[in-house]
Amino acid sequence: MFVSCSEKNFFESHWNHPISEQGLPPLHFSTLEKNLDPKGCGSCHKEQFQNWRKSYHSKSISKGFLWQKEILSSKEYQSCLQCHSPLAETKSELSVEFQTPEILNSKLHNFPEGISNPSILCASCHIRNQIRFGPPPKTNLVNTVPSNQLPHNGYIAKKEFESSEFCKSCHTSKETGVKLNGKRLMEVYTEWEKSPFAKQGIQCQNCHMPDREHSWKGIHDKTFVQNSLQPTWNIIEKNGNYQIQAELKSIGIGHEFPTYIVPKIYLRFYAIQKTAPRILLEESVVGRFVNTQLTEEYFDTRIKPQGSHLVRFDYEPKGKLIKEFLWEIEVDPDEQYIRSFEEQLVEKGNLLSKQSKKFLQESLDTKRKSRYLLFTLSLKVPASLPQ
């Protein structure tokens, strides 16, 4: 079924939390059509399934999420589930509040083999009350087959699937949420809305789902981030002193970089000596730094869309034999989580169940390994040309 008309209340109805259970599948559906497990969807949508299973959407319910159930209030936990596990059926795997007869019956009929991964599934975005939704076809197809003869009765095409607003409910905090220095903890949609990208009609999906790729690449993907930034620098020598000027420019990011409070970017400048260890000359942090209680913001040095982070300083070798200068840019995608998890392990580790403490430690170990070197630039001495 192809419907291209826009409904003003589509987003409100589609993301009306808590999302109702899917209910019983139509009787004429085949066994495959009745199965809402992503593997079932992957029978036909192979490329989308393979990209999804490697994405962070498929890992929204991870050990890093699960251990926190013991320290969150019931209200806080239910709020987290709205985005981390949107479907009523997947929520029933995680919370007794969703183990109602209606939801459990729906799960039995729609997930006959059970739910092994209660994360963000295909149905989380594409299915409501047994009706499939998706973006309009890439080409203007003339469909002459009745919808009841198409797989799963076809689908309703909604252009809203290609709008940034589709992502808003989970990637922007509610207006009533915590604010630090007048800013919500997540303001991705608002940041995009104010950017040149929004004015040009460039949506979230253009960058994070190119050609409708279901990978949602972001800060954890080195190549993706490299293609979005441009580092340039130059060093001028005057009477034995070196003047270093560096710029990290956001060229392809439609929101502040990095968005959220979690990631941090480190810009480190070194002098490389001929016979001695390298010398750290300057370190600059790009990010929004808040305390682990989420009650105070210390600084916010993030780069606005098409904006830059500038670093300028002087260095006098004072007799040291310098052969080159080095600029390293390192990304820590999970800095806020690491700091918070380390603190929780010390303060509440002995109060957690054995399994939750194990999940916390394993998640912490994983996040500590997520750092990567984004760029390495070098200039030989004498260094007088821009790079």
Side-chain angles (χ1 to χ4, degrees):
M1 184 184 299
F2 304 121
V3 179
S4 60
C5 61
S6 174
E7 298 177 13
K8 290 183 179 179
N9 66 348
F10 174 77
F11 295 118
E12 184 178 341
S13 62
H14 199 76
W15 295 117
N16 182 24
H17 295 286
I19 295 171
S20 298
E21 67 273 6
Q22 297 292 344
L24 300 182
L27 293 175
H28 69 277
F29 272 17
S30 66
T31 300
L32 180 60
E33 289 172 304
K34 292 176 182 178
N35 191 346
L36 300 189
D37 187 285
K39 287 186 288 188
C41 303
S43 298
C44 294
H45 305 282
K46 292 180 173 62
E47 186 176 348
Q48 290 90 336
F49 171 70
Q50 292 300 330
N51 284 321
W52 165 83
R53 72 189 303 187
K54 293 180 288 187
S55 77
Y56 276 87
H57 275 194
S58 74
K59 303 175 182 67
S60 60
I61 298 299
S62 61
K63 293 176 181 178
F65 178 90
L66 291 171
W67 79 263
Q68 298 183 64
K69 184 177 182 179
E70 292 187 18
I71 66 169
L72 295 173
S73 68
S74 176
K75 184 178 180 180
E76 289 171 330
Y77 185 63
Q78 303 304 327
S79 176
C80 295
L81 288 177
Q82 288 188 6
C83 289
H84 282 263
S85 184
L87 294 177
E89 292 81 2
T90 55
K91 286 188 178 81
S92 72
E93 294 285 317
L94 303 163
S95 174
V96 293
E97 281 84 355
F98 289 90
Q99 293 175 0
T100 66
E102 295 80 10
I103 293 175
L104 293 177
N105 190 44
S106 178
K107 181 170 70 173
L108 178 66
H109 285 82
N110 292 291
F111 297 90
E113 298 174 6
I115 299 175
S116 60
N117 179 7
S119 295
I120 300 169
L121 312 183
C122 310
S124 303
C125 294
H126 289 286
I127 306 178
R128 297 291 183 270
N129 193 28
Q130 295 296 338
I131 298 174
R132 274 67 174 172
F133 296 87
K138 292 182 179 180
T139 56
N140 293 322
L141 299 175
V142 178
N143 183 29
T144 58
V145 181
S147 62
N148 62 3
Q149 294 180 26
L150 293 169
H152 51 63
N153 287 345
Y155 80 102
I156 295 179
K158 304 294 291 185
K159 65 181 183 181
E160 287 86 346
F161 272 77
E162 298 180 307
S163 166
S164 292
E165 196 170 350
F166 191 86
C167 313
K168 179 181 178 180
S169 69
C170 283
H171 292 278
T172 292
S173 302
K174 294 179 180 178
E175 187 61 40
T176 55
V178 174
K179 289 185 178 180
L180 303 178
N181 284 354
K183 297 169 292 188
R184 288 168 283 175
L185 296 181
M186 291 192 299
E187 291 195 335
V188 191
Y189 181 82
T190 306
E191 294 165 6
W192 166 82
E193 201 172 26
K194 297 175 182 177
S195 76
F197 293 84
K199 295 178 177 63
Q200 297 167 26
I202 299 173
Q203 309 294 320
C204 304
Q205 293 87 336
N206 293 116
C207 297
H208 296 283
M209 297 182 70
D211 199 30
R212 300 184 178 178
E213 180 183 291
H214 283 51
S215 57
W216 304 283
K217 291 176 181 176
I219 193 67
H220 289 83
D221 189 283
K222 179 176 179 177
T223 302
F224 181 80
V225 179
Q226 282 180 327
N227 291 335
S228 305
L229 298 167
Q230 184 179 65
T232 57
W233 70 327
N234 65 74
I235 301 175
I236 299 174
E237 188 269 335
K238 284 187 178 181
N239 301 321
N241 291 332
Y242 292 91
Q243 298 177 346
I244 294 95
Q245 298 185 62
E247 176 185 17
L248 182 62
K249 184 175 178 60
S250 173
I251 58 173
I253 303 171
H255 47 72
E256 296 197 12
F257 175 79
T259 194
Y260 299 159
I261 60 172
V262 179
K264 304 294 181 294
I265 317 300
Y266 301 97
L267 284 60
R268 301 188 183 99
F269 299 85
Y270 299 92
I272 308 300
Q273 302 183 79
K274 291 186 176 180
T275 57
R278 67 182 187 177
I279 305 167
L280 177 62
L281 305 178
E282 182 82 6
E283 181 177 50
S284 182
V285 182
V286 178
R288 186 182 179 192
F289 199 92
V290 307
N291 64 1
T292 55
Q293 292 77 35
L294 308 182
T295 58
E296 185 177 359
E297 176 184 293
Y298 300 127
F299 61 79
D300 186 352
T301 56
R302 294 176 298 164
I303 307 172
K304 294 186 180 300
Q306 297 186 351
S308 296
H309 181 85
L310 302 174
V311 179
R312 297 186 181 93
F313 64 94
D314 296 337
Y315 172 62
E316 183 180 356
K318 294 181 180 179
K320 295 183 176 67
L321 297 177
I322 307 300
K323 65 177 183 178
E324 67 177 318
F325 291 94
L326 193 69
W327 178 17
E328 291 184 347
I329 303 175
E330 185 182 34
V331 176
D332 189 349
D334 300 304
E335 186 278 330
Q336 177 81 20
Y337 289 136
I338 294 170
R339 195 159 27 96
S340 177
F341 286 11
E342 287 175 340
E343 184 177 290
Q344 294 291 341
L345 191 60
V346 172
E347 295 183 357
K348 299 180 180 178
N350 293 332
L351 303 177
L352 296 172
S353 66
K354 184 177 180 181
Q355 184 183 53
S356 290
K357 185 176 181 180
K358 182 173 181 287
F359 281 175
L360 168 56
Q361 184 64 68
E362 290 178 354
S363 178
L364 179 57
D365 292 343
T366 299
K367 293 184 184 306
R368 283 171 172 162
K369 297 174 184 176
S370 68
R371 298 171 74 122
Y372 60 88
L373 202 57
L374 183 66
F375 293 109
T376 301
L377 296 87
S378 63
L379 288 173
K380 300 288 184 181
V381 174
S384 58
L385 296 176
Q387 178 178 342

